Short mmCIF file of all heavy atoms in Angstrom, two decimals:
data_model
loop_
_atom_site.label_atom_id
_atom_site.label_comp_id
_atom_site.label_asym_id
_atom_site.label_seq_id
_atom_site.Cartn_x
_atom_site.Cartn_y
_atom_site.Cartn_z
N GLU A 1 16.74 2.73 1.50
CA GLU A 1 16.33 2.01 0.25
C GLU A 1 14.83 2.31 -0.07
O GLU A 1 14.17 2.66 0.80
CB GLU A 1 16.50 0.51 0.39
CG GLU A 1 17.98 0.12 0.55
CD GLU A 1 18.15 -1.43 0.49
OE1 GLU A 1 17.11 -2.17 0.47
OE2 GLU A 1 19.30 -1.89 0.48
N ARG A 2 14.54 2.14 -1.24
CA ARG A 2 13.14 2.33 -1.70
C ARG A 2 12.29 1.29 -1.07
O ARG A 2 12.63 0.05 -1.02
CB ARG A 2 13.08 2.20 -3.26
CG ARG A 2 11.81 2.66 -3.87
CD ARG A 2 11.89 2.67 -5.39
NE ARG A 2 12.94 3.69 -5.80
CZ ARG A 2 13.10 4.07 -7.11
NH1 ARG A 2 12.33 3.57 -8.01
NH2 ARG A 2 14.07 4.92 -7.34
N GLU A 3 11.20 1.74 -0.51
CA GLU A 3 10.26 0.80 0.21
C GLU A 3 8.81 0.93 -0.36
O GLU A 3 8.41 1.97 -0.81
CB GLU A 3 10.25 1.20 1.73
CG GLU A 3 9.69 2.53 1.99
CD GLU A 3 9.47 2.71 3.58
OE1 GLU A 3 9.39 1.72 4.25
OE2 GLU A 3 9.47 3.90 4.01
N LEU A 4 8.16 -0.18 -0.32
CA LEU A 4 6.81 -0.26 -0.82
C LEU A 4 5.86 0.46 0.19
O LEU A 4 5.95 0.10 1.41
CB LEU A 4 6.44 -1.71 -0.98
CG LEU A 4 4.96 -1.99 -1.40
CD1 LEU A 4 4.66 -1.41 -2.78
CD2 LEU A 4 4.66 -3.48 -1.40
N VAL A 5 5.00 1.25 -0.33
CA VAL A 5 4.07 1.97 0.53
C VAL A 5 2.66 1.37 0.37
O VAL A 5 1.96 1.07 1.39
CB VAL A 5 3.97 3.47 0.17
CG1 VAL A 5 2.94 4.15 0.99
CG2 VAL A 5 5.38 4.14 0.46
N ALA A 6 2.21 1.20 -0.86
CA ALA A 6 0.85 0.64 -1.11
C ALA A 6 0.74 0.23 -2.58
O ALA A 6 1.49 0.69 -3.38
CB ALA A 6 -0.18 1.76 -0.74
N TRP A 7 -0.25 -0.64 -2.81
CA TRP A 7 -0.67 -0.88 -4.14
C TRP A 7 -2.16 -1.26 -4.20
O TRP A 7 -2.77 -1.60 -3.21
CB TRP A 7 0.22 -2.05 -4.77
CG TRP A 7 0.16 -3.36 -3.96
CD1 TRP A 7 1.18 -3.84 -3.18
CD2 TRP A 7 -0.80 -4.37 -3.99
NE1 TRP A 7 0.84 -5.07 -2.71
CE2 TRP A 7 -0.38 -5.47 -3.15
CE3 TRP A 7 -2.10 -4.49 -4.65
CZ2 TRP A 7 -1.08 -6.61 -2.93
CZ3 TRP A 7 -2.81 -5.70 -4.39
CH2 TRP A 7 -2.31 -6.68 -3.58
N ALA A 8 -2.66 -1.18 -5.44
CA ALA A 8 -4.00 -1.55 -5.71
C ALA A 8 -4.09 -2.31 -6.99
O ALA A 8 -3.34 -2.01 -7.97
CB ALA A 8 -4.92 -0.32 -5.77
N SER A 9 -4.98 -3.27 -7.04
CA SER A 9 -5.11 -4.16 -8.24
C SER A 9 -6.48 -4.04 -8.85
O SER A 9 -7.49 -3.90 -8.15
CB SER A 9 -4.87 -5.61 -7.82
OG SER A 9 -5.09 -6.47 -8.87
N TRP A 10 -6.51 -4.07 -10.15
CA TRP A 10 -7.70 -4.04 -10.91
C TRP A 10 -8.35 -5.50 -11.02
O TRP A 10 -9.45 -5.64 -11.60
CB TRP A 10 -7.58 -3.42 -12.30
CG TRP A 10 -7.65 -1.97 -12.24
CD1 TRP A 10 -8.65 -1.15 -12.53
CD2 TRP A 10 -6.55 -1.06 -11.88
NE1 TRP A 10 -8.32 0.16 -12.42
CE2 TRP A 10 -7.10 0.28 -12.08
CE3 TRP A 10 -5.24 -1.25 -11.51
CZ2 TRP A 10 -6.30 1.36 -11.73
CZ3 TRP A 10 -4.45 -0.10 -11.27
CH2 TRP A 10 -4.97 1.15 -11.39
N ILE A 11 -7.61 -6.44 -10.54
CA ILE A 11 -8.13 -7.79 -10.49
C ILE A 11 -8.55 -8.17 -9.07
O ILE A 11 -7.66 -8.32 -8.20
CB ILE A 11 -7.10 -8.86 -11.03
CG1 ILE A 11 -6.70 -8.46 -12.45
CG2 ILE A 11 -7.63 -10.26 -10.92
CD1 ILE A 11 -5.62 -9.42 -12.96
N GLY A 12 -9.82 -8.27 -8.86
CA GLY A 12 -10.36 -8.63 -7.56
C GLY A 12 -10.41 -7.43 -6.60
O GLY A 12 -10.99 -7.51 -5.47
N GLY A 13 -9.96 -6.31 -7.00
CA GLY A 13 -10.00 -5.11 -6.17
C GLY A 13 -9.14 -5.21 -4.87
O GLY A 13 -9.43 -4.43 -3.92
N SER A 14 -8.20 -5.96 -4.88
CA SER A 14 -7.33 -6.15 -3.66
C SER A 14 -6.42 -4.98 -3.50
O SER A 14 -6.05 -4.27 -4.49
CB SER A 14 -6.51 -7.44 -3.74
OG SER A 14 -5.72 -7.51 -4.92
N GLU A 15 -6.06 -4.65 -2.30
CA GLU A 15 -5.25 -3.49 -2.00
C GLU A 15 -4.26 -3.88 -0.88
O GLU A 15 -4.45 -4.84 -0.20
CB GLU A 15 -6.09 -2.32 -1.52
CG GLU A 15 -7.04 -1.76 -2.57
CD GLU A 15 -7.92 -0.68 -2.03
OE1 GLU A 15 -7.87 -0.38 -0.79
OE2 GLU A 15 -8.65 -0.09 -2.82
N TYR A 16 -3.24 -3.07 -0.79
CA TYR A 16 -2.23 -3.26 0.27
C TYR A 16 -1.71 -1.92 0.73
O TYR A 16 -1.41 -1.05 -0.14
CB TYR A 16 -1.11 -4.19 -0.25
CG TYR A 16 0.08 -4.12 0.68
CD1 TYR A 16 0.14 -4.99 1.77
CD2 TYR A 16 1.17 -3.31 0.46
CE1 TYR A 16 1.28 -4.99 2.64
CE2 TYR A 16 2.27 -3.26 1.32
CZ TYR A 16 2.31 -4.06 2.35
OH TYR A 16 3.41 -4.09 3.20
N VAL A 17 -1.58 -1.76 1.99
CA VAL A 17 -0.89 -0.60 2.54
C VAL A 17 0.08 -1.07 3.61
O VAL A 17 -0.28 -1.89 4.49
CB VAL A 17 -1.90 0.37 3.17
CG1 VAL A 17 -1.24 1.63 3.73
CG2 VAL A 17 -2.99 0.83 2.16
N ALA A 18 1.26 -0.60 3.56
CA ALA A 18 2.26 -1.03 4.46
C ALA A 18 1.84 -0.75 5.90
O ALA A 18 1.27 0.31 6.18
CB ALA A 18 3.60 -0.32 4.15
N ASN A 19 2.29 -1.68 6.79
CA ASN A 19 1.90 -1.57 8.18
C ASN A 19 2.38 -0.26 8.82
O ASN A 19 1.71 0.34 9.64
CB ASN A 19 2.49 -2.73 9.00
CG ASN A 19 1.74 -3.99 8.70
OD1 ASN A 19 0.57 -4.03 8.32
ND2 ASN A 19 2.39 -5.09 9.02
N SER A 20 3.51 0.27 8.30
CA SER A 20 4.06 1.45 8.88
C SER A 20 3.24 2.76 8.67
O SER A 20 3.41 3.69 9.36
CB SER A 20 5.51 1.67 8.33
OG SER A 20 5.55 1.81 6.92
N VAL A 21 2.38 2.68 7.63
CA VAL A 21 1.57 3.85 7.29
C VAL A 21 0.11 3.54 7.16
O VAL A 21 -0.67 4.46 6.92
CB VAL A 21 2.10 4.46 6.06
CG1 VAL A 21 3.54 5.01 6.20
CG2 VAL A 21 2.00 3.53 4.87
N LYS A 22 -0.40 2.34 7.32
CA LYS A 22 -1.74 1.96 7.06
C LYS A 22 -2.72 2.68 7.94
O LYS A 22 -3.95 2.74 7.60
CB LYS A 22 -1.96 0.45 7.07
CG LYS A 22 -1.70 -0.17 8.45
CD LYS A 22 -1.96 -1.70 8.35
CE LYS A 22 -1.84 -2.36 9.72
NZ LYS A 22 -2.05 -3.81 9.61
N ASP A 23 -2.29 3.18 9.07
CA ASP A 23 -3.23 3.93 9.91
C ASP A 23 -3.40 5.36 9.44
O ASP A 23 -4.38 6.06 9.91
CB ASP A 23 -2.68 3.92 11.36
CG ASP A 23 -1.28 4.54 11.51
OD1 ASP A 23 -0.52 4.32 10.52
OD2 ASP A 23 -1.03 5.08 12.53
N ARG A 24 -2.59 5.80 8.54
CA ARG A 24 -2.65 7.13 8.03
C ARG A 24 -2.90 7.32 6.53
O ARG A 24 -3.44 8.34 6.07
CB ARG A 24 -1.42 7.94 8.47
CG ARG A 24 -1.18 8.00 9.91
CD ARG A 24 0.09 8.76 10.36
NE ARG A 24 1.27 8.07 9.91
CZ ARG A 24 2.15 8.50 8.95
NH1 ARG A 24 1.91 9.65 8.34
NH2 ARG A 24 3.20 7.80 8.63
N PHE A 25 -2.41 6.36 5.82
CA PHE A 25 -2.46 6.40 4.32
C PHE A 25 -3.53 5.50 3.74
O PHE A 25 -3.88 4.48 4.37
CB PHE A 25 -1.11 6.02 3.74
CG PHE A 25 0.01 6.97 3.94
CD1 PHE A 25 -0.08 8.06 4.81
CD2 PHE A 25 1.26 6.75 3.42
CE1 PHE A 25 0.86 8.93 5.03
CE2 PHE A 25 2.34 7.58 3.68
CZ PHE A 25 2.18 8.66 4.51
N ALA A 26 -4.01 5.80 2.57
CA ALA A 26 -4.93 4.90 1.88
C ALA A 26 -4.71 5.04 0.38
O ALA A 26 -4.33 6.11 -0.09
CB ALA A 26 -6.42 5.36 2.23
N ILE A 27 -4.95 3.98 -0.27
CA ILE A 27 -4.72 3.91 -1.73
C ILE A 27 -6.14 3.73 -2.41
O ILE A 27 -6.97 3.13 -1.86
CB ILE A 27 -3.81 2.81 -2.20
CG1 ILE A 27 -3.42 3.03 -3.68
CG2 ILE A 27 -4.38 1.50 -1.92
CD1 ILE A 27 -2.19 2.20 -4.12
#
């Protein structure tokens, strides 16, 4: 299934990277 990898918000500058890839990926 489609899975969330990461997102970034223009409100507050919050970001998210999935635990499965956060050690290697950045948004």
Side-chain angles (χ1 to χ4, degrees):
E1 293 188 356
R2 192 170 299 189
E3 65 172 337
L4 175 64
V5 177
W7 57 257
S9 175
W10 277 262
I11 300 178
S14 56
E15 299 177 353
Y16 167 84
V17 181
N19 288 336
S20 60
V21 298
K22 66 180 180 180
D23 57 328
R24 299 181 293 115
F25 293 4
I27 192 166

